[in-house]
Amino acid sequence: MTSQRTRLRLIERLKAQGIRDDRVLQAMSETPRHLFVDEALAHRAYEDTALPIGFNQTLSQPYIVARMTELALQRGKPGRVLELGTGSGYQSAVLARVADEIYSIERIKPLLSKAKARLRTLKARNVRCMHGDGFEGWAEFAPFDVIMGAAAPETIPQNLLSQLAPDGFLLLPVGGSEQKLVQMTSTSEGFEETIIEDVFFVPMREGVHR
Ligand code: SAH
C-alpha cells in the first residue's frame, strides 16, 4: 500500500489535476508521504486527501502541496525558502528536493519534534526548523526568495514582506471561512498582489504552543 506503484498512481492523479511541472512530479514521487503520518493512517497516505497529524492540524492534500510547490518554482529554483507551519514536515521534504535551502517554522512543539525526526531519517539536510511564531518570520536568514505556508492568516502579515528578497514573493492562503491563495511579489515599485485560487487551510495562529 506504500509501494512505488501506489505512489505512481498519485502522480498520475496529480497530472490529471493539472500539475505539469516535472520537477514537482519527480519530487512528489520521491517523497514517501506515508512516513509523515501515524502508522495507523499510512495505508491512506497516497489518497488525495488531507490527513490528521494531531493537535487539530492536518497534512495537506497532495494536490495542494504539489500546487504550492509548482508556484514556488515559477521563477526558477529558489535559493532560500521560508515555510510557515512545518506540520508533519512533508511539504518541507518536497521543497528540499527542489530548492537550495528551506527554513521552516512551527508553533506546536511536539509536531515540530516529529517532523524533525522524519526529515533526519530522509536526510533532508537542507531543511532547518525552528519552534516559533511564523508571524515573526526568521530575520536571521532573511531575505527569502519565497515565503510560503499552509496556514491562513486573516490578512497578509505586512512585516513578513520586509523579509522578501528583491523579486521574491510570498504565497499564503488568506482569509477566514472563505480563503484565497494570494501571492505578493516584491517589485521595484512595491508589492504586486495576485489572487491564485480558492483554498481551505487551517488558520494561522499567533504565539507558540509548547
Ligand atoms: N505543510 C504542512 C501542513 C501543516 S498544517 C505539512 O506538510 O504537514 C499547518 C501548520 O501550521 C500546523 O502545523 C500549525 O500548527 C502551523 N501554524 C499555524 N500557525 C502558525 C504560526 N503562527 N507559526 C508557525 N506555524 C503555525
Side-chain angles (χ1 to χ4, degrees):
M1 264 178 273
T2 50
S3 70
Q4 187 61 18
R5 209 154 57 98
T6 319
R7 234 182 276 173
L8 287 178
R9 264 207 302 275
L10 169 66
I11 302 306
E12 289 311 314
R13 217 160 40 225
L14 291 173
K15 282 190 194 165
Q17 288 166 307
I19 304 297
R20 291 285 135 76
D21 192 320
D22 283 331
R23 296 167 296 177
V24 176
L25 295 167
Q26 182 73 23
M28 299 275 302
S29 74
E30 289 169 358
T31 310
R33 193 170 184 256
H34 64 277
L35 298 185
F36 291 85
V37 289
D38 286 338
E39 238 166 273
L41 282 171
H43 67 288
R44 299 191 53 201
Y46 298 96
E47 293 174 18
D48 193 30
T49 174
L51 292 170
I53 55 174
F55 298 87
N56 277 326
Q57 304 302 320
T58 56
L59 196 182
S60 312
Q61 181 196 2
Y63 167 75
I64 199 74
V65 173
R67 181 81 179 111
M68 299 274 296
T69 309
E70 191 169 69
L71 288 163
L73 298 182
Q74 64 189 269
R75 299 191 162 196
K77 186 181 193 185
R80 290 187 172 189
V81 179
L82 175 65
E83 180 189 33
L84 312 177
T86 318
S88 67
Y90 177 67
Q91 171 80 78
S92 332
V94 173
L95 283 170
R97 296 179 179 273
V98 294
D100 292 334
E101 298 168 28
I102 319 299
Y103 298 86
S104 187
I105 308 176
E106 171 56 56
R107 67 181 288 276
I108 302 179
K109 202 162 196 182
L111 287 182
L112 183 67
S113 310
K114 280 197 190 177
K116 274 181 157 169
R118 292 168 181 140
L119 292 164
R120 249 196 315 274
T121 306
L122 291 179
K123 302 191 169 56
R125 294 199 185 87
N126 55 341
V127 183
R128 187 184 284 229
C129 300
M130 168 172 86
H131 180 227
D133 182 353
F135 278 107
E136 292 171 15
W138 200 340
E140 188 186 349
F141 295 105
F144 300 99
D145 301 298
V146 183
I147 298 180
M148 61 191 280
E154 290 281 342
T155 57
I156 304 242
Q158 296 295 316
N159 64 314
L160 289 177
L161 299 176
S162 68
Q163 296 190 11
L164 278 177
D167 295 325
F169 55 91
L170 173 143
L171 204 56
L172 275 183
V174 178
S177 53
E178 282 187 16
Q179 299 172 3
K180 308 264 183 215
L181 184 58
V182 177
Q183 178 171 331
M184 291 289 277
T185 310
S186 171
T187 75
S188 51
E189 280 127 57
F191 293 95
E192 200 179 280
E193 182 178 308
T194 319
I195 310 277
I196 312 234
E197 60 194 46
D198 289 339
V199 285
F200 190 71
F201 285 93
V202 295
M204 189 160 162
R205 297 201 189 286
E206 285 188 51
V208 296
H209 175 296
R210 302 248 145 225

